[in-house]
Amino acid sequence: MKKFSIFFLALAVVMVAFTAGCQSTKVDIGIVLPTKDEPRWVQDEARFTAALADTDYSVEILFSQGSTATELSNVETLISKGITVLIICAQDGDAAGAAVEKAKAEGITVIAYDRLITNTEAVDYYVTFDSVAVGEAQGQYLVDHATGAGNPLYLYSGAATDNNAFLFFEGAWNVLQPKIADGTFVIKNSAEAVGLQANATLTRTQQSSIIGQITTNWDFNTALSLAQSNLTATTAADKGDVFILAPNDGTARAIADAFAADTDVTSYYVTGQDAEIASVQYIIDGKQSMTVFKDVRTLVADAIAMAVTVLEGGTPTTTGSYDNGSIDVPAKQTAVVVVDQANVRAALIDSGYYAETEFTFPA
Ligand code: BGC
């Protein structure tokens, strides 16, 4: 009998301790980011951590490491910790639907961060940069630096699982297509794009057929080997002074390295986006032509402001909406800034975004 009551007493102590433990791990805002393997998302994590340093709400950030399965289990972990708001940048826009539907079923408010989650009703809000404008800025940069006719053009895109890859390509096509149609540029690495070059606008299916040939999958190694095989498949006459649409900084550096190593390439212009530190150095060194600076501080501030509004029982303000294939998702959109050698210091260092000590400037 005595042994029995000691057992129950011990059990009660363990249960109290366990409950207290559970309460102390309660999280208000859960954040899921796609991968630590790209500087872009490590940057977002750092900016989130800085912005949340003095919030009263508890926050947990998890990375999906390029895996939809990990993304789902991250969301499940955060649901079990009692989150009220989920801020999620999807690994795969369609596949993430299953994860956010689980969150939604628990009454959690879902904010898609940077990448839209597609073909589901379980997205409440979307905070994003103007991704069509990103692609337009990339295309415009190439147009502004091309003279005469017949300039070789090499096209590369992001991952087909990322809705943004379509928006970036759409923006670039808006600007490049008239200059392909008038002979300023000649596409060298996509038969699908050549076949569609008379079309001022493309359907999603047409975009997919081109992206299928030019995708980097947002992966540096894929970008490098695709650029190398494009350069092997083309002749010296397809090279010389070349123009390259690269979708982001990581892939731009890989593609630039491939083109720089080809002796038939006399000069190249290559685009990028994200203002990653390594690409800012490439711009300073003349190895990458431009980047599209997306001030992550603004995106983070918008996402947190939305989350806090929800936690305090309010309704976030939005500035427009995005059709995700199922619903129009109310969205808050941020503008982007073009950076090249001419304004790199003003835009990224004088603005306080990066410390000067991160870079080596020519003496
Ligand atoms: C983001 C880019 C990023 C890319 C690869 C896109 O969805 O908008 O900033 O470079 O994914 O991670």
Side-chain angles (χ1 to χ4, degrees), residues 38 40-41 114-115 162 164 168 218 248 273-274 294:
E38 291 175 39
R40 160 72 214 267
W41 307 113
D114 196 295
R115 297 177 177 171
D162 178 2
N164 284 346
F168 301 144
W218 291 135
N248 76 346
Q273 78 168 295
D274 292 335
K294 310 202 298 190

PDB file of all heavy atoms in Angstrom, residues 38 40-41 114-115 162 164 168 218 248 273-274 294, ligand 1:
ATOM      1  N   GLU A  38      21.132  28.016 -48.832  1.00  0.00           N
ATOM      2  CA  GLU A  38      21.233  29.200 -49.686  1.00  0.00           C
ATOM      3  C   GLU A  38      21.328  30.414 -48.779  1.00  0.00           C
ATOM      4  O   GLU A  38      20.500  30.574 -47.878  1.00  0.00           O
ATOM      5  CB  GLU A  38      19.989  29.330 -50.574  1.00  0.00           C
ATOM      6  CG  GLU A  38      19.877  28.259 -51.637  1.00  0.00           C
ATOM      7  CD  GLU A  38      18.561  28.380 -52.400  1.00  0.00           C
ATOM      8  OE1 GLU A  38      18.127  29.506 -52.679  1.00  0.00           O
ATOM      9  OE2 GLU A  38      17.963  27.332 -52.676  1.00  0.00           O
ATOM     10  N   ARG A  40      20.382  33.307 -49.086  1.00  0.00           N
ATOM     11  CA  ARG A  40      19.156  34.112 -49.032  1.00  0.00           C
ATOM     12  C   ARG A  40      18.349  33.804 -47.759  1.00  0.00           C
ATOM     13  O   ARG A  40      17.874  34.700 -47.072  1.00  0.00           O
ATOM     14  CB  ARG A  40      18.314  33.846 -50.299  1.00  0.00           C
ATOM     15  CG  ARG A  40      16.837  34.217 -50.208  1.00  0.00           C
ATOM     16  CD  ARG A  40      16.587  35.744 -50.219  1.00  0.00           C
ATOM     17  NE  ARG A  40      15.451  36.113 -49.395  1.00  0.00           N
ATOM     18  CZ  ARG A  40      14.214  36.251 -49.795  1.00  0.00           C
ATOM     19  NH1 ARG A  40      13.913  36.083 -51.057  1.00  0.00           N
ATOM     20  NH2 ARG A  40      13.249  36.588 -48.950  1.00  0.00           N
ATOM     21  N   TRP A  41      18.169  32.519 -47.451  1.00  0.00           N
ATOM     22  CA  TRP A  41      17.258  32.142 -46.356  1.00  0.00           C
ATOM     23  C   TRP A  41      17.927  32.239 -45.001  1.00  0.00           C
ATOM     24  O   TRP A  41      17.250  32.402 -43.983  1.00  0.00           O
ATOM     25  CB  TRP A  41      16.642  30.758 -46.635  1.00  0.00           C
ATOM     26  CG  TRP A  41      16.001  30.734 -47.996  1.00  0.00           C
ATOM     27  CD1 TRP A  41      16.404  30.009 -49.087  1.00  0.00           C
ATOM     28  CD2 TRP A  41      14.904  31.538 -48.455  1.00  0.00           C
ATOM     29  NE1 TRP A  41      15.622  30.314 -50.170  1.00  0.00           N
ATOM     30  CE2 TRP A  41      14.696  31.235 -49.826  1.00  0.00           C
ATOM     31  CE3 TRP A  41      14.077  32.484 -47.837  1.00  0.00           C
ATOM     32  CZ2 TRP A  41      13.690  31.846 -50.587  1.00  0.00           C
ATOM     33  CZ3 TRP A  41      13.075  33.096 -48.601  1.00  0.00           C
ATOM     34  CH2 TRP A  41      12.891  32.772 -49.950  1.00  0.00           C
ATOM     35  N   ASP A 114       7.101  35.174 -49.028  1.00  0.00           N
ATOM     36  CA  ASP A 114       7.915  35.263 -50.257  1.00  0.00           C
ATOM     37  C   ASP A 114       7.407  34.369 -51.393  1.00  0.00           C
ATOM     38  O   ASP A 114       7.274  34.821 -52.514  1.00  0.00           O
ATOM     39  CB  ASP A 114       9.403  34.974 -49.956  1.00  0.00           C
ATOM     40  CG  ASP A 114      10.308  35.430 -51.098  1.00  0.00           C
ATOM     41  OD1 ASP A 114      10.204  34.869 -52.205  1.00  0.00           O
ATOM     42  OD2 ASP A 114      11.104  36.351 -50.894  1.00  0.00           O
ATOM     43  N   ARG A 115       7.158  33.093 -51.107  1.00  0.00           N
ATOM     44  CA  ARG A 115       6.656  32.187 -52.145  1.00  0.00           C
ATOM     45  C   ARG A 115       5.186  31.876 -51.879  1.00  0.00           C
ATOM     46  O   ARG A 115       4.850  31.462 -50.756  1.00  0.00           O
ATOM     47  CB  ARG A 115       7.443  30.879 -52.133  1.00  0.00           C
ATOM     48  CG  ARG A 115       8.915  31.056 -52.468  1.00  0.00           C
ATOM     49  CD  ARG A 115       9.637  29.731 -52.363  1.00  0.00           C
ATOM     50  NE  ARG A 115      11.035  29.845 -52.748  1.00  0.00           N
ATOM     51  CZ  ARG A 115      11.929  28.875 -52.585  1.00  0.00           C
ATOM     52  NH1 ARG A 115      11.552  27.724 -52.046  1.00  0.00           N
ATOM     53  NH2 ARG A 115      13.184  29.042 -52.955  1.00  0.00           N
ATOM     54  N   ASP A 162       8.539  26.340 -57.661  1.00  0.00           N
ATOM     55  CA  ASP A 162       8.418  27.637 -56.990  1.00  0.00           C
ATOM     56  C   ASP A 162       7.624  28.589 -57.882  1.00  0.00           C
ATOM     57  O   ASP A 162       8.080  28.933 -58.977  1.00  0.00           O
ATOM     58  CB  ASP A 162       9.831  28.189 -56.721  1.00  0.00           C
ATOM     59  CG  ASP A 162       9.821  29.560 -56.062  1.00  0.00           C
ATOM     60  OD1 ASP A 162       8.732  30.088 -55.771  1.00  0.00           O
ATOM     61  OD2 ASP A 162      10.917  30.103 -55.843  1.00  0.00           O
ATOM     62  N   ASN A 164       7.329  31.610 -57.763  1.00  0.00           N
ATOM     63  CA  ASN A 164       8.112  32.807 -58.094  1.00  0.00           C
ATOM     64  C   ASN A 164       8.905  32.629 -59.386  1.00  0.00           C
ATOM     65  O   ASN A 164       9.128  33.597 -60.114  1.00  0.00           O
ATOM     66  CB  ASN A 164       9.112  33.137 -56.974  1.00  0.00           C
ATOM     67  CG  ASN A 164       8.434  33.761 -55.774  1.00  0.00           C
ATOM     68  OD1 ASN A 164       7.296  34.186 -55.848  1.00  0.00           O
ATOM     69  ND2 ASN A 164       9.153  33.808 -54.661  1.00  0.00           N
ATOM     70  N   PHE A 168       9.096  35.552 -62.069  1.00  0.00           N
ATOM     71  CA  PHE A 168      10.352  36.165 -62.536  1.00  0.00           C
ATOM     72  C   PHE A 168      10.473  36.015 -64.058  1.00  0.00           C
ATOM     73  O   PHE A 168      10.832  36.961 -64.761  1.00  0.00           O
ATOM     74  CB  PHE A 168      11.590  35.494 -61.885  1.00  0.00           C
ATOM     75  CG  PHE A 168      11.618  35.546 -60.373  1.00  0.00           C
ATOM     76  CD1 PHE A 168      12.131  34.483 -59.634  1.00  0.00           C
ATOM     77  CD2 PHE A 168      11.144  36.658 -59.679  1.00  0.00           C
ATOM     78  CE1 PHE A 168      12.167  34.519 -58.244  1.00  0.00           C
ATOM     79  CE2 PHE A 168      11.182  36.699 -58.292  1.00  0.00           C
ATOM     80  CZ  PHE A 168      11.691  35.624 -57.570  1.00  0.00           C
ATOM     81  N   TRP A 218      17.046  26.142 -58.798  1.00  0.00           N
ATOM     82  CA  TRP A 218      17.627  26.977 -57.726  1.00  0.00           C
ATOM     83  C   TRP A 218      18.886  26.334 -57.132  1.00  0.00           C
ATOM     84  O   TRP A 218      19.202  26.540 -55.969  1.00  0.00           O
ATOM     85  CB  TRP A 218      16.624  27.238 -56.588  1.00  0.00           C
ATOM     86  CG  TRP A 218      15.456  28.111 -56.877  1.00  0.00           C
ATOM     87  CD1 TRP A 218      14.158  27.872 -56.516  1.00  0.00           C
ATOM     88  CD2 TRP A 218      15.439  29.397 -57.519  1.00  0.00           C
ATOM     89  NE1 TRP A 218      13.337  28.899 -56.918  1.00  0.00           N
ATOM     90  CE2 TRP A 218      14.100  29.857 -57.538  1.00  0.00           C
ATOM     91  CE3 TRP A 218      16.415  30.204 -58.102  1.00  0.00           C
ATOM     92  CZ2 TRP A 218      13.717  31.077 -58.102  1.00  0.00           C
ATOM     93  CZ3 TRP A 218      16.032  31.414 -58.659  1.00  0.00           C
ATOM     94  CH2 TRP A 218      14.706  31.833 -58.649  1.00  0.00           C
ATOM     95  N   ASN A 248      18.775  34.175 -60.079  1.00  0.00           N
ATOM     96  CA  ASN A 248      19.128  34.714 -58.752  1.00  0.00           C
ATOM     97  C   ASN A 248      20.647  34.701 -58.594  1.00  0.00           C
ATOM     98  O   ASN A 248      21.374  34.261 -59.492  1.00  0.00           O
ATOM     99  CB  ASN A 248      18.412  33.967 -57.613  1.00  0.00           C
ATOM    100  CG  ASN A 248      19.004  32.603 -57.309  1.00  0.00           C
ATOM    101  OD1 ASN A 248      19.789  32.049 -58.075  1.00  0.00           O
ATOM    102  ND2 ASN A 248      18.621  32.055 -56.177  1.00  0.00           N
ATOM    103  N   GLN A 273      19.618  38.229 -58.445  1.00  0.00           N
ATOM    104  CA  GLN A 273      18.723  38.859 -57.474  1.00  0.00           C
ATOM    105  C   GLN A 273      19.094  38.355 -56.095  1.00  0.00           C
ATOM    106  O   GLN A 273      19.654  37.256 -55.957  1.00  0.00           O
ATOM    107  CB  GLN A 273      17.243  38.554 -57.749  1.00  0.00           C
ATOM    108  CG  GLN A 273      16.785  37.182 -57.320  1.00  0.00           C
ATOM    109  CD  GLN A 273      15.271  37.034 -57.346  1.00  0.00           C
ATOM    110  OE1 GLN A 273      14.569  37.690 -56.590  1.00  0.00           O
ATOM    111  NE2 GLN A 273      14.786  36.153 -58.222  1.00  0.00           N
ATOM    112  N   ASP A 274      18.796  39.127 -55.101  1.00  0.00           N
ATOM    113  CA  ASP A 274      18.928  38.850 -53.655  1.00  0.00           C
ATOM    114  C   ASP A 274      20.025  39.692 -52.992  1.00  0.00           C
ATOM    115  O   ASP A 274      20.066  39.765 -51.777  1.00  0.00           O
ATOM    116  CB  ASP A 274      19.227  37.377 -53.310  1.00  0.00           C
ATOM    117  CG  ASP A 274      18.061  36.453 -53.607  1.00  0.00           C
ATOM    118  OD1 ASP A 274      16.910  36.947 -53.616  1.00  0.00           O
ATOM    119  OD2 ASP A 274      18.294  35.261 -53.839  1.00  0.00           O
ATOM    120  N   LYS A 294      16.361  42.880 -52.728  1.00  0.00           N
ATOM    121  CA  LYS A 294      15.073  42.717 -52.076  1.00  0.00           C
ATOM    122  C   LYS A 294      15.345  42.912 -50.580  1.00  0.00           C
ATOM    123  O   LYS A 294      15.968  42.056 -49.955  1.00  0.00           O
ATOM    124  CB  LYS A 294      14.505  41.331 -52.377  1.00  0.00           C
ATOM    125  CG  LYS A 294      14.543  41.021 -53.878  1.00  0.00           C
ATOM    126  CD  LYS A 294      13.563  39.961 -54.319  1.00  0.00           C
ATOM    127  CE  LYS A 294      13.767  38.616 -53.727  1.00  0.00           C
ATOM    128  NZ  LYS A 294      12.921  37.580 -54.376  1.00  0.00           N
TER     129      LYS A 294
HETATM  130  C1  BGC B   1      13.077  33.786 -53.849  1.00  0.00           C
HETATM  131  C2  BGC B   1      14.449  34.237 -54.265  1.00  0.00           C
HETATM  132  C3  BGC B   1      15.438  33.101 -54.091  1.00  0.00           C
HETATM  133  C4  BGC B   1      14.932  31.832 -54.745  1.00  0.00           C
HETATM  134  C5  BGC B   1      15.819  30.652 -54.460  1.00  0.00           C
HETATM  135  C6  BGC B   1      12.701  32.548 -54.602  1.00  0.00           C
HETATM  136  O1  BGC B   1      11.440  32.116 -54.264  1.00  0.00           O
HETATM  137  O2  BGC B   1      12.132  34.814 -54.078  1.00  0.00           O
HETATM  138  O3  BGC B   1      14.826  35.374 -53.502  1.00  0.00           O
HETATM  139  O4  BGC B   1      16.676  33.441 -54.657  1.00  0.00           O
HETATM  140  O5  BGC B   1      13.637  31.526 -54.303  1.00  0.00           O
HETATM  141  O6  BGC B   1      15.820  30.309 -53.132  1.00  0.00           O
END
